[in-house]
Amino acid sequence: MIVVTADQRGSRRGVDRVPEALAIVAARSAARPGVVLPFDRTVGDEVQGVLDATDDGAALTVDLVLELVRDGGWSVGIGLGGVVRPLPAASRAASGPAFVRARTAVERARRRGRGSVPVAVVGPDEEPRATVAADAQALLHLLGAVVARRSPAGWEAVDTLVAQRGPAPQRASAAVLRVSEQAVSQRLRAALWAEDAAVRPLAARLLRAAGAEPVSDDDMDDADDADGVDERDGAAGDGSRDVGEERGR
């Protein structure tokens, strides 16, 4: 599973922007598969949602995280791995290793310095998934930097292009923007749109690989109740200990 937690930056000095964040993720998620538990306010100025570690869920995760980076003012943590089943109706009532890792990730994202992309990814400790999660984070930092630095003119061209459904989207975009097709092409190149679009699927594949649940639902439920597990379920055991620590705070 993939758990995404976003925390408003500087909320003590500003207005509550949680409704704005929920509107952003709802618009981006509309008519797209992959959401397991919809995004909702958890505590204070945080929002959280749960997505499948599938092609659809991972691709949507990348798009949602980058939309929040574009909006600005959000620290975003991504936790990968198992969850305790059955899942409740709302993410704030759910638990499991992926939720604990999302909490760790958003804390790390908060600590990233000004000018850095405030996104962090935390996956299972065992290899190769730990390295895969770190690779996903590195790509999201790269994509986030591109998104954060894109000019208004670049975003206008990108948003218009993405909205087109015909056989010649760039020509249609030029007509909508009332500029030449060459001007649209120049804006897209300056916005690094081709590079952005090429790298997003790679980031999604890494999230999917690191977020796949290593044990069955029954094993995850047993791990939540047991003090120890055998080597086969080691990943779930690590997560269950984290859950216990989180509940004890």
Side-chain angles (χ1 to χ4, degrees):
M1 286 289 184
I2 303 172
V3 179
V4 178
T5 301
D7 177 62
Q8 184 178 338
R9 297 167 71 91
S11 57
R12 295 179 181 177
R13 302 185 301 275
V15 299
D16 180 8
R17 297 184 61 201
V18 166
E20 178 184 338
L22 292 176
I24 289 171
V25 297
R28 204 69 165 91
S29 304
R32 291 183 61 178
V35 176
V36 177
L37 293 178
F39 281 78
D40 197 3
R41 186 192 295 267
T42 51
V43 292
D45 49 10
E46 284 188 355
V47 298
Q48 185 178 76
V50 182
L51 300 99
D52 265 327
T54 60
D55 289 341
D56 290 330
L60 181 55
T61 298
V62 172
D63 289 344
L64 293 178
V65 169
L66 294 177
E67 282 295 317
L68 291 171
V69 171
R70 174 185 179 178
D71 183 64
W74 297 96
S75 299
V76 185
I78 303 172
L80 306 171
V83 298
V84 174
R85 297 176 184 273
L87 284 168
S91 65
R92 61 180 173 272
S95 62
F99 288 91
V100 176
R101 291 168 188 147
R103 168 58 48 200
T104 300
V106 79
E107 293 292 343
R108 291 181 184 176
R110 284 195 193 110
R111 294 195 294 269
R112 288 183 60 80
R114 183 176 296 275
S116 300
V117 177
V119 173
V121 180
V122 176
D125 291 335
E126 75 272 8
E127 295 294 352
R129 295 207 293 165
T131 296
V132 173
D135 290 345
Q137 176 178 276
L139 278 182
L140 287 172
H141 286 168
L142 176 62
L143 286 166
V146 170
V147 164
R149 290 162 174 77
R150 186 170 288 157
S151 70
W155 273 118
E156 184 180 44
V158 168
D159 290 340
T160 304
L161 182 77
V162 171
Q164 306 309 312
R165 295 293 180 266
Q170 196 160 306
R171 184 180 305 168
S173 298
V176 171
L177 296 174
R178 298 184 178 182
V179 298
S180 68
E181 193 171 344
Q182 182 181 11
V184 172
S185 179
Q186 289 173 344
R187 290 191 194 183
L188 293 173
R189 284 199 301 271
L192 297 178
W193 171 242
E195 293 78 6
D196 179 333
V199 172
R200 288 190 190 216
L202 176 55
R205 287 195 293 272
L206 292 171
L207 289 177
R208 181 198 63 196
E213 296 185 66
V215 294
S216 70
D217 294 351
D218 290 340
D219 288 336
M220 181 59 69
D221 291 340
D222 292 341
D224 190 56
D225 296 330
D227 292 331
V229 293
D230 60 24
E231 292 181 0
R232 180 190 59 194
D233 295 332
D238 291 344
S240 297
R241 286 194 295 274
D242 289 343
V243 172
E245 292 170 3
E246 181 73 11
R247 288 173 177 166
R249 290 176 187 169

